Structure formats: C-alpha cells, structure tokens
Amino acid sequence: MKKPMKVVVTGAAGQIGYSLLFRICAGEVFGKDQPINLWLLERNNETSIKAVRGVMMELDDCAFPLLASLNSTSDPVECFEGADVAFLVGARPRSKDMQRKDLIEANARIFIEQGKAIDQSSNKNIKVLVVGNPCNTNAYIARRCAPSINPRNFTAMMRLDHNRALTQLAQKYDCAVDEITDLVVWGNHGNTMYPDLNQTKIGEKKVADTLDATWYTDNFTPTVAKRGSAIIEARGHSSAASAANAAIDHVRDWVLGSNDQWVTMAVPSDGSYGVPEGLVFGFPCICKDGDYQIVQGLQLTEEQKAGIARNIVALEEERKIVDELIG
Ligand code: NAX
C-alpha cells in the first residue's frame, strides 16, 4: 500500500463539499490504491462545527478502506500543515444585492488568510484547486500570498464550464461526449468566458466545418456561460454535484494525467497567447506525470483573439481590486 497523502477540503460542510468528500474517499481522484489523510476546514461557529461533525460521522459510516485518517479544524495553519493537495471550496456566497466587487472583497480576506497558511505550513509541492468564487481571482490571491510555493501549483476550476460545453455540443451533434476532443473554455469563470470550438473535433471531423453559427452565438455560448444561473432558477440552489464532479475531473487529471487530451484548467499565465503573466486564466492544458502544460502553437483567428481579450479585461479589473487589498 502507498503512503497516505494529506488532502484538505475547505468549506467541507457546504453543498459542494457534501458531493465531493465521499467520492474523494472512494478513490475517484487519487486512485484506488492511494490512501488519504483527510482534513476538513470549516468556519469557527456553532452551526458550521456541528454540520462538519455530521459529515464526519457519515464519512466514518462509509468505512472507506482508503480513508486512513479524518480530522477537522477551523485553523488554516493546522489544516494545511504538510498538505499535498487542497480543494479550496469554502467561500462566501453572493447574496442577492451584492455587487461582484463586494463579493471579491469579502472573499479576498478568506484567500489571503489561506494563501498565507499554505505558505507557512503546507508541503512545498502542494497542488491547489480553487473552486470558491470568483475562483480565478481567488486563486491569484492565494498564489500571491504564498511566495514559497511554485505559482504553477495554484489553479482554479473551469472544468465545469468545459464539461457543460462538451454536453451541449454532444447533444447538438448527437454524439458521445468522449468522441469530442480539443475543446476549451478560455478565460474567466464568469459571464465573459469564451467556449471555443475552432479546434474541436468529433472523431476525425472538425466541428468548425459544419458549425451552425447562429446556434453557436445564440444558444451554445449563452447556455454554457449562464448555466449556473439556470440551475439556481430550476433547483433553488447553485450547482453542487456537477461542481464536485468537475473538481474531481480537474484534480484527477492533474495528478494521474489527461491521456493526451485537452482539458480546460485556469492556471497562472506564463504569457501564452498574450495573456498577461500571472492572471489565472482558462487555457487548454494537457496533464502528464503530475504536471500540466498549456497547449502551445495554436494559430488564433480574430474571433479567438477577441474572446481571449474580453477575459483579459475582466480579470485585469479584478486583479486591480485585489492588488490594493493584498498590498
Ligand atoms: P455553500 O454555501 O453550500 O458552502 C460553503 C461552505 O464554506 C459553508 O459550509 C461555509 O461555512 C464554508 N466557509 C465559508 N468561509 C469559510 C472559510 N473561511 N473557511 C472554511 N470554510 C468556509 O456553498 P457551495 O455551494 O458549496 O459553493 C462553494 C463555492 O463554490 C461558492 O463560492 C460557489 O460560488 C462556488 N462555485 C464555483 C463553481 C465553479 O465552477 N468554479 C461552480 C459551483 C459553485 O457556484
């Protein structure tokens, strides 16, 4: 049996946490031969502490053979000590009348604190996935507050947007999702995101050769970009099981590889495709040997350049707000 790895999940008593934890412990992320020491971070108040205790009782009751140990705390430094992987899910949800700027500021405090704790106590090779919104900018904040960790190790979740785009396309073309390759959602997990089918293939056929431009503009793109709101409208709660599933896909592929397939990951830009260095941006990535590479060498059309540019503007605006807060 392998040595257990330490995995942290924040916001463990929330909706996504409830859909995520049991699948991690069942071996769906790190493999069926990888035991884990699971640490849960929750807020220090009676309701959260009680709720996380209930989740831990259920985890115990599953008798997962891979769950070597289970702990919870409200102290980020204790939680991240020696951590190998962290799912940063916990964040303040956007309330009805809250502006995006207010949400950024409220959540910045959480990710400044957690970034500093990661810097102070985690394994220096920790892999971090930020799910809590605004996830791209929260990952940027945590990365800036953890200067001793390789910036590449701070990523944000755009895999849900990627998966949503896959299914919309598969339904339109009446094909299986795994016949689709080379699809990406560039940019920010927000309204400006750019689902791009220019390179996409179904089997050997290029989608661009038969694409219905009206469907792409009026149906596909808004459906993918506004899916979160449509789910809140229908379900009365935001996406949870599909978000947990995307978090599992993201980290599993990062750790175990994406089999030479493109996956969308929001990662700190290295300047690829003109995206300013450091912005945490959705790129097409290929994962191998526990690492990811941004797909290089794409010849971008004017439409693609414009799709990327609008996301740079959106993320630069957010970066400006948080740079002032981080100092
Ligand atoms: P919930 O409100 O159900 O759960 C959040 C949990 O985080 C709560 O239990 C809360 O006590 C905890 N929490 C808050 N601050 C904390 C802190 N400082 N330390 C530890 N725990 C803390 O939200 P849920 O539906 O689980 O969503 C979590 C986050 O995911 C939200 O920010 C949400 O906007 C975001 N999402 C991101 C998605 C993406 O694709 N990137 C999609 C789904 C989701 O909307």
PDB file of all heavy atoms in Angstrom, residues 63-86:
ATOM      1  N   ALA A  63     -17.001   3.518   6.098  1.00  0.00           N
ATOM      2  CA  ALA A  63     -15.880   2.566   6.275  1.00  0.00           C
ATOM      3  C   ALA A  63     -15.024   2.490   5.011  1.00  0.00           C
ATOM      4  O   ALA A  63     -14.751   1.399   4.501  1.00  0.00           O
ATOM      5  CB  ALA A  63     -16.418   1.182   6.665  1.00  0.00           C
ATOM      6  N   PHE A  64     -14.620   3.642   4.500  1.00  0.00           N
ATOM      7  CA  PHE A  64     -13.793   3.659   3.282  1.00  0.00           C
ATOM      8  C   PHE A  64     -12.408   3.071   3.592  1.00  0.00           C
ATOM      9  O   PHE A  64     -11.690   3.610   4.444  1.00  0.00           O
ATOM     10  CB  PHE A  64     -13.590   5.099   2.788  1.00  0.00           C
ATOM     11  CG  PHE A  64     -14.784   5.720   2.143  1.00  0.00           C
ATOM     12  CD1 PHE A  64     -15.389   6.839   2.703  1.00  0.00           C
ATOM     13  CD2 PHE A  64     -15.286   5.223   0.939  1.00  0.00           C
ATOM     14  CE1 PHE A  64     -16.486   7.448   2.097  1.00  0.00           C
ATOM     15  CE2 PHE A  64     -16.385   5.825   0.328  1.00  0.00           C
ATOM     16  CZ  PHE A  64     -16.981   6.927   0.914  1.00  0.00           C
ATOM     17  N   PRO A  65     -12.002   2.031   2.888  1.00  0.00           N
ATOM     18  CA  PRO A  65     -10.670   1.464   3.149  1.00  0.00           C
ATOM     19  C   PRO A  65      -9.540   2.466   2.879  1.00  0.00           C
ATOM     20  O   PRO A  65      -8.482   2.377   3.493  1.00  0.00           O
ATOM     21  CB  PRO A  65     -10.581   0.291   2.162  1.00  0.00           C
ATOM     22  CG  PRO A  65     -11.992  -0.041   1.823  1.00  0.00           C
ATOM     23  CD  PRO A  65     -12.755   1.244   1.907  1.00  0.00           C
ATOM     24  N   LEU A  66      -9.759   3.431   1.980  1.00  0.00           N
ATOM     25  CA  LEU A  66      -8.680   4.369   1.627  1.00  0.00           C
ATOM     26  C   LEU A  66      -8.578   5.554   2.593  1.00  0.00           C
ATOM     27  O   LEU A  66      -7.649   6.344   2.503  1.00  0.00           O
ATOM     28  CB  LEU A  66      -8.881   4.908   0.209  1.00  0.00           C
ATOM     29  CG  LEU A  66      -8.734   3.884  -0.916  1.00  0.00           C
ATOM     30  CD1 LEU A  66      -9.118   4.504  -2.260  1.00  0.00           C
ATOM     31  CD2 LEU A  66      -7.304   3.351  -0.993  1.00  0.00           C
ATOM     32  N   LEU A  67      -9.567   5.706   3.479  1.00  0.00           N
ATOM     33  CA  LEU A  67      -9.543   6.844   4.405  1.00  0.00           C
ATOM     34  C   LEU A  67      -8.708   6.477   5.640  1.00  0.00           C
ATOM     35  O   LEU A  67      -9.200   5.890   6.602  1.00  0.00           O
ATOM     36  CB  LEU A  67     -10.972   7.238   4.798  1.00  0.00           C
ATOM     37  CG  LEU A  67     -11.113   8.491   5.658  1.00  0.00           C
ATOM     38  CD1 LEU A  67     -10.455   9.709   5.022  1.00  0.00           C
ATOM     39  CD2 LEU A  67     -12.592   8.777   5.949  1.00  0.00           C
ATOM     40  N   ALA A  68      -7.430   6.843   5.589  1.00  0.00           N
ATOM     41  CA  ALA A  68      -6.509   6.447   6.665  1.00  0.00           C
ATOM     42  C   ALA A  68      -6.767   7.235   7.936  1.00  0.00           C
ATOM     43  O   ALA A  68      -6.625   6.716   9.040  1.00  0.00           O
ATOM     44  CB  ALA A  68      -5.066   6.638   6.200  1.00  0.00           C
ATOM     45  N   SER A  69      -7.140   8.524   7.791  1.00  0.00           N
ATOM     46  CA  SER A  69      -7.491   9.322   8.975  1.00  0.00           C
ATOM     47  C   SER A  69      -8.362  10.489   8.550  1.00  0.00           C
ATOM     48  O   SER A  69      -8.344  10.903   7.381  1.00  0.00           O
ATOM     49  CB  SER A  69      -6.233   9.835   9.687  1.00  0.00           C
ATOM     50  OG  SER A  69      -5.584  10.793   8.873  1.00  0.00           O
ATOM     51  N   LEU A  70      -9.116  11.015   9.508  1.00  0.00           N
ATOM     52  CA  LEU A  70     -10.076  12.085   9.232  1.00  0.00           C
ATOM     53  C   LEU A  70     -10.045  13.095  10.372  1.00  0.00           C
ATOM     54  O   LEU A  70     -10.165  12.719  11.538  1.00  0.00           O
ATOM     55  CB  LEU A  70     -11.486  11.461   9.120  1.00  0.00           C
ATOM     56  CG  LEU A  70     -12.658  12.407   8.917  1.00  0.00           C
ATOM     57  CD1 LEU A  70     -12.520  13.188   7.603  1.00  0.00           C
ATOM     58  CD2 LEU A  70     -13.975  11.625   8.909  1.00  0.00           C
ATOM     59  N   ASN A  71      -9.866  14.380  10.020  1.00  0.00           N
ATOM     60  CA  ASN A  71      -9.807  15.438  11.044  1.00  0.00           C
ATOM     61  C   ASN A  71     -10.499  16.691  10.528  1.00  0.00           C
ATOM     62  O   ASN A  71     -10.597  16.892   9.310  1.00  0.00           O
ATOM     63  CB  ASN A  71      -8.347  15.810  11.341  1.00  0.00           C
ATOM     64  CG  ASN A  71      -7.624  14.719  12.093  1.00  0.00           C
ATOM     65  OD1 ASN A  71      -7.789  14.572  13.295  1.00  0.00           O
ATOM     66  ND2 ASN A  71      -6.849  13.923  11.385  1.00  0.00           N
ATOM     67  N   SER A  72     -10.903  17.541  11.470  1.00  0.00           N
ATOM     68  CA  SER A  72     -11.418  18.848  11.059  1.00  0.00           C
ATOM     69  C   SER A  72     -10.881  19.918  11.995  1.00  0.00           C
ATOM     70  O   SER A  72     -10.496  19.624  13.142  1.00  0.00           O
ATOM     71  CB  SER A  72     -12.947  18.869  11.083  1.00  0.00           C
ATOM     72  OG  SER A  72     -13.387  18.863  12.410  1.00  0.00           O
ATOM     73  N   THR A  73     -10.862  21.139  11.494  1.00  0.00           N
ATOM     74  CA  THR A  73     -10.376  22.264  12.286  1.00  0.00           C
ATOM     75  C   THR A  73     -10.900  23.559  11.668  1.00  0.00           C
ATOM     76  O   THR A  73     -11.379  23.569  10.526  1.00  0.00           O
ATOM     77  CB  THR A  73      -8.824  22.283  12.321  1.00  0.00           C
ATOM     78  OG1 THR A  73      -8.382  23.436  13.039  1.00  0.00           O
ATOM     79  CG2 THR A  73      -8.213  22.344  10.939  1.00  0.00           C
ATOM     80  N   SER A  74     -10.760  24.646  12.434  1.00  0.00           N
ATOM     81  CA  SER A  74     -11.050  25.969  11.881  1.00  0.00           C
ATOM     82  C   SER A  74      -9.770  26.777  11.775  1.00  0.00           C
ATOM     83  O   SER A  74      -9.811  27.975  11.487  1.00  0.00           O
ATOM     84  CB  SER A  74     -12.050  26.710  12.775  1.00  0.00           C
ATOM     85  OG  SER A  74     -13.261  26.018  12.771  1.00  0.00           O
ATOM     86  N   ASP A  75      -8.659  26.123  12.026  1.00  0.00           N
ATOM     87  CA  ASP A  75      -7.357  26.809  11.983  1.00  0.00           C
ATOM     88  C   ASP A  75      -6.646  26.467  10.668  1.00  0.00           C
ATOM     89  O   ASP A  75      -6.183  25.333  10.490  1.00  0.00           O
ATOM     90  CB  ASP A  75      -6.529  26.339  13.193  1.00  0.00           C
ATOM     91  CG  ASP A  75      -5.108  26.898  13.153  1.00  0.00           C
ATOM     92  OD1 ASP A  75      -4.767  27.613  12.183  1.00  0.00           O
ATOM     93  OD2 ASP A  75      -4.344  26.601  14.084  1.00  0.00           O
ATOM     94  N   PRO A  76      -6.550  27.430   9.749  1.00  0.00           N
ATOM     95  CA  PRO A  76      -5.957  27.120   8.440  1.00  0.00           C
ATOM     96  C   PRO A  76      -4.515  26.608   8.533  1.00  0.00           C
ATOM     97  O   PRO A  76      -4.135  25.711   7.785  1.00  0.00           O
ATOM     98  CB  PRO A  76      -6.010  28.451   7.679  1.00  0.00           C
ATOM     99  CG  PRO A  76      -7.025  29.277   8.387  1.00  0.00           C
ATOM    100  CD  PRO A  76      -7.056  28.810   9.807  1.00  0.00           C
ATOM    101  N   VAL A  77      -3.728  27.171   9.456  1.00  0.00           N
ATOM    102  CA  VAL A  77      -2.320  26.742   9.535  1.00  0.00           C
ATOM    103  C   VAL A  77      -2.237  25.266   9.927  1.00  0.00           C
ATOM    104  O   VAL A  77      -1.493  24.480   9.325  1.00  0.00           O
ATOM    105  CB  VAL A  77      -1.520  27.635  10.516  1.00  0.00           C
ATOM    106  CG1 VAL A  77      -0.096  27.102  10.681  1.00  0.00           C
ATOM    107  CG2 VAL A  77      -1.486  29.072  10.011  1.00  0.00           C
ATOM    108  N   GLU A  78      -3.058  24.879  10.892  1.00  0.00           N
ATOM    109  CA  GLU A  78      -3.082  23.465  11.303  1.00  0.00           C
ATOM    110  C   GLU A  78      -3.588  22.597  10.138  1.00  0.00           C
ATOM    111  O   GLU A  78      -3.033  21.537   9.839  1.00  0.00           O
ATOM    112  CB  GLU A  78      -4.007  23.292  12.513  1.00  0.00           C
ATOM    113  CG  GLU A  78      -4.072  21.855  13.007  1.00  0.00           C
ATOM    114  CD  GLU A  78      -5.154  21.630  14.074  1.00  0.00           C
ATOM    115  OE1 GLU A  78      -6.080  22.455  14.198  1.00  0.00           O
ATOM    116  OE2 GLU A  78      -5.062  20.588  14.767  1.00  0.00           O
ATOM    117  N   CYS A  79      -4.602  23.079   9.461  1.00  0.00           N
ATOM    118  CA  CYS A  79      -5.233  22.279   8.410  1.00  0.00           C
ATOM    119  C   CYS A  79      -4.274  22.026   7.240  1.00  0.00           C
ATOM    120  O   CYS A  79      -4.201  20.925   6.700  1.00  0.00           O
ATOM    121  CB  CYS A  79      -6.492  22.990   7.930  1.00  0.00           C
ATOM    122  SG  CYS A  79      -7.642  21.870   7.137  1.00  0.00           S
ATOM    123  N   PHE A  80      -3.522  23.063   6.844  1.00  0.00           N
ATOM    124  CA  PHE A  80      -2.674  22.921   5.654  1.00  0.00           C
ATOM    125  C   PHE A  80      -1.298  22.322   5.974  1.00  0.00           C
ATOM    126  O   PHE A  80      -0.512  22.100   5.055  1.00  0.00           O
ATOM    127  CB  PHE A  80      -2.491  24.280   4.970  1.00  0.00           C
ATOM    128  CG  PHE A  80      -3.744  24.766   4.292  1.00  0.00           C
ATOM    129  CD1 PHE A  80      -4.419  25.889   4.748  1.00  0.00           C
ATOM    130  CD2 PHE A  80      -4.249  24.089   3.193  1.00  0.00           C
ATOM    131  CE1 PHE A  80      -5.575  26.331   4.132  1.00  0.00           C
ATOM    132  CE2 PHE A  80      -5.413  24.519   2.566  1.00  0.00           C
ATOM    133  CZ  PHE A  80      -6.071  25.640   3.038  1.00  0.00           C
ATOM    134  N   GLU A  81      -1.035  22.048   7.236  1.00  0.00           N
ATOM    135  CA  GLU A  81       0.312  21.569   7.596  1.00  0.00           C
ATOM    136  C   GLU A  81       0.644  20.267   6.860  1.00  0.00           C
ATOM    137  O   GLU A  81      -0.040  19.248   6.995  1.00  0.00           O
ATOM    138  CB  GLU A  81       0.400  21.355   9.109  1.00  0.00           C
ATOM    139  CG  GLU A  81       1.843  21.111   9.517  1.00  0.00           C
ATOM    140  CD  GLU A  81       1.995  20.963  11.022  1.00  0.00           C
ATOM    141  OE1 GLU A  81       1.032  21.266  11.760  1.00  0.00           O
ATOM    142  OE2 GLU A  81       3.078  20.529  11.434  1.00  0.00           O
ATOM    143  N   GLY A  82       1.659  20.337   6.034  1.00  0.00           N
ATOM    144  CA  GLY A  82       2.109  19.144   5.292  1.00  0.00           C
ATOM    145  C   GLY A  82       1.160  18.702   4.192  1.00  0.00           C
ATOM    146  O   GLY A  82       1.308  17.600   3.649  1.00  0.00           O
ATOM    147  N   ALA A  83       0.179  19.555   3.814  1.00  0.00           N
ATOM    148  CA  ALA A  83      -0.836  19.123   2.840  1.00  0.00           C
ATOM    149  C   ALA A  83      -0.233  18.926   1.445  1.00  0.00           C
ATOM    150  O   ALA A  83       0.600  19.708   0.996  1.00  0.00           O
ATOM    151  CB  ALA A  83      -1.967  20.143   2.778  1.00  0.00           C
ATOM    152  N   ASP A  84      -0.677  17.852   0.780  1.00  0.00           N
ATOM    153  CA  ASP A  84      -0.218  17.550  -0.586  1.00  0.00           C
ATOM    154  C   ASP A  84      -1.166  18.116  -1.640  1.00  0.00           C
ATOM    155  O   ASP A  84      -0.740  18.467  -2.742  1.00  0.00           O
ATOM    156  CB  ASP A  84      -0.127  16.030  -0.778  1.00  0.00           C
ATOM    157  CG  ASP A  84       0.858  15.395   0.191  1.00  0.00           C
ATOM    158  OD1 ASP A  84       2.048  15.735   0.108  1.00  0.00           O
ATOM    159  OD2 ASP A  84       0.428  14.591   1.046  1.00  0.00           O
ATOM    160  N   VAL A  85      -2.448  18.143  -1.317  1.00  0.00           N
ATOM    161  CA  VAL A  85      -3.466  18.639  -2.261  1.00  0.00           C
ATOM    162  C   VAL A  85      -4.514  19.398  -1.464  1.00  0.00           C
ATOM    163  O   VAL A  85      -4.869  18.977  -0.357  1.00  0.00           O
ATOM    164  CB  VAL A  85      -4.157  17.463  -3.010  1.00  0.00           C
ATOM    165  CG1 VAL A  85      -5.307  17.958  -3.871  1.00  0.00           C
ATOM    166  CG2 VAL A  85      -3.157  16.696  -3.875  1.00  0.00           C
ATOM    167  N   ALA A  86      -4.996  20.524  -2.025  1.00  0.00           N
ATOM    168  CA  ALA A  86      -6.065  21.269  -1.343  1.00  0.00           C
ATOM    169  C   ALA A  86      -7.155  21.646  -2.335  1.00  0.00           C
ATOM    170  O   ALA A  86      -6.868  22.165  -3.411  1.00  0.00           O
ATOM    171  CB  ALA A  86      -5.503  22.523  -0.688  1.00  0.00           C
TER     172      ALA A  86
END
